[in-house]
Amino acid sequence: MSINSVSFLFFLPTVVLINFMLPRKYRYIWLFLASYFFYLSNDMRAGFGLVFCTFTTYIAGVLIEKKNGVIKKAVLALCVLVNIFVLLFLRNSFIQLNVVTIGISFYMLQAAGYVIDVYRNQITAEKNLLKYAVFVSFFPTVASGPIQRGTGLLQQIKEGRDFDYDKAHTGLYYLLWGYLLKLVMADKLSVMVDFVYKDYSTMPGATLLWAIIIYAVQLYCDFAGYSALAIGAGKILGFDLKENFSQPYFAVSVKDFWNRWHISLSSWLRDYIYI
């Protein structure tokens, strides 16, 4: 199952309906089950990486909060390096085994950001393993982002969310916009781009130039469509997720472009690597 599939149109209303029928304090358990069902529906074997990343970063967060000095730094470094190594290894192994590897980069960066935030004392370590597991595996974002922060999504999971008509209404608009971008525009444009690129050596220059322009539009519609679908699904459930695109092709400089394109990723790289 993917967020832009027909099956998701049946999955999402079911999750929303049951979620708001349950008492607020138990809803995170249902979201945990729904998120893992969504992720594992593609291939059960891919769940190993998700479980490994969730468990190791959860333990690291708890330890980092209790330790000081060199030990605290060592736990952080070991956690991040081990996860990078293991998940890169899994990605290569899964590709060879034809295992669907959706979301590995997204949930790894999200979990690593959480651990770094705990290290920086910007957030307290989550003690409830299931609530933390929902944060890492939250089904609207686990496959293609946007990458969330512990100070945002995790805090909302801990507090719980009630049904909000205005948010749900906005969420439906996001879903419609996302399906328009992904299914109507990106998927249709990809047919034209693939037609040119698969036999580019015989195409005239004007056709190649046109294909490059179309590909830029297709790429944006693809990524922005997935992000809109994720944000829309989150809002229907009462969650506010980070925006990911802000009219990037209207940017006036390279810096401005990266502030508008895949915002959750570029801001992650800025906050956790560059700075």
Side-chain angles (χ1 to χ4, degrees):
M1 186 193 309
S2 64
I3 199 169
N4 65 311
S5 64
V6 174
S7 56
F8 187 77
L9 293 176
F10 297 94
F11 173 76
L12 179 60
T14 303
V15 172
V16 172
L17 179 63
I18 296 176
N19 180 70
F20 290 119
M21 288 176 61
L22 293 171
R24 184 171 179 174
K25 63 180 180 179
Y26 298 125
R27 288 174 188 166
Y28 73 92
I29 300 175
W30 169 242
L31 290 177
F32 167 77
L33 295 173
S35 295
Y36 265 75
F37 175 82
F38 174 83
Y39 190 79
L40 297 178
S41 65
N42 293 288
D43 197 313
M44 293 287 291
R45 294 170 293 179
F48 178 80
L50 181 61
V51 172
F52 178 85
C53 180
T54 300
F55 187 72
T56 53
T57 52
Y58 167 79
I59 294 296
V62 173
L63 290 176
I64 288 171
E65 193 171 63
K66 293 180 179 180
K67 303 298 181 181
N68 293 302
V70 176
I71 296 179
K72 185 176 180 178
K73 291 181 179 179
V75 173
L76 171 65
L78 181 63
C79 174
V80 173
L81 290 175
V82 166
N83 271 279
I84 291 174
F85 174 78
V86 170
L87 293 176
L88 286 176
F89 172 77
L90 285 176
R91 178 187 286 276
N92 293 331
S93 300
F94 284 166
I95 289 174
Q96 294 176 4
L97 295 172
N98 294 319
V99 177
V100 179
T101 59
I102 61 169
I104 285 183
S105 300
F106 292 103
Y107 68 68
M108 185 195 75
L109 293 178
Q110 187 160 303
Y114 158 81
V115 175
I116 297 170
D117 284 343
V118 173
Y119 174 82
R120 292 174 173 173
N121 297 317
Q122 294 178 349
I123 188 173
T124 57
E126 176 54 48
K127 307 304 188 299
N128 187 309
L129 178 57
L130 283 188
K131 288 184 179 180
Y132 178 69
V134 175
F135 165 70
V136 179
S137 65
F138 191 48
F139 72 88
T141 63
V142 68
S144 55
I147 301 167
Q148 303 300 305
R149 305 289 180 93
T151 51
L153 177 58
L154 181 56
Q155 189 61 37
Q156 294 179 69
I157 293 169
K158 290 168 65 175
E159 295 170 354
R161 284 292 182 266
D162 291 325
F163 181 77
D164 185 315
Y165 175 81
D166 291 333
K167 280 187 180 179
H169 187 257
T170 303
L172 288 174
Y173 275 108
Y174 269 98
L175 287 178
L176 289 173
W177 178 239
Y179 281 118
L180 174 66
L181 289 175
K182 181 67 180 72
L183 301 180
V184 178
M185 298 189 67
D187 289 355
K188 302 303 181 184
L189 291 175
S190 68
V191 176
M192 293 185 281
V193 173
D194 291 343
F195 174 77
V196 175
Y197 279 14
K198 71 179 180 181
D199 195 21
Y200 66 90
S201 60
T202 64
M203 297 292 173
T207 302
L208 291 174
L209 178 61
W210 183 239
I212 292 171
I213 296 172
I214 291 177
Y215 179 63
V217 177
Q218 177 208 334
L219 196 64
Y220 166 75
C221 291
D222 211 338
F223 286 167
Y226 273 118
S227 294
L229 290 171
I231 293 170
K235 283 190 177 297
I236 292 173
L237 284 164
F239 294 92
D240 290 313
L241 304 179
K242 291 175 66 69
E243 292 285 349
N244 221 15
F245 292 88
S246 179
Q247 299 179 326
Y249 291 145
F250 289 93
V252 296
S253 66
V254 174
K255 179 181 178 181
D256 188 33
F257 176 81
W258 286 114
N259 286 332
R260 295 165 174 260
W261 177 274
H262 215 317
I263 299 169
S264 65
L265 176 59
S266 59
S267 63
W268 193 99
L269 294 173
R270 179 197 65 209
D271 295 341
Y272 298 115
I273 295 181
Y274 178 74
I275 292 178

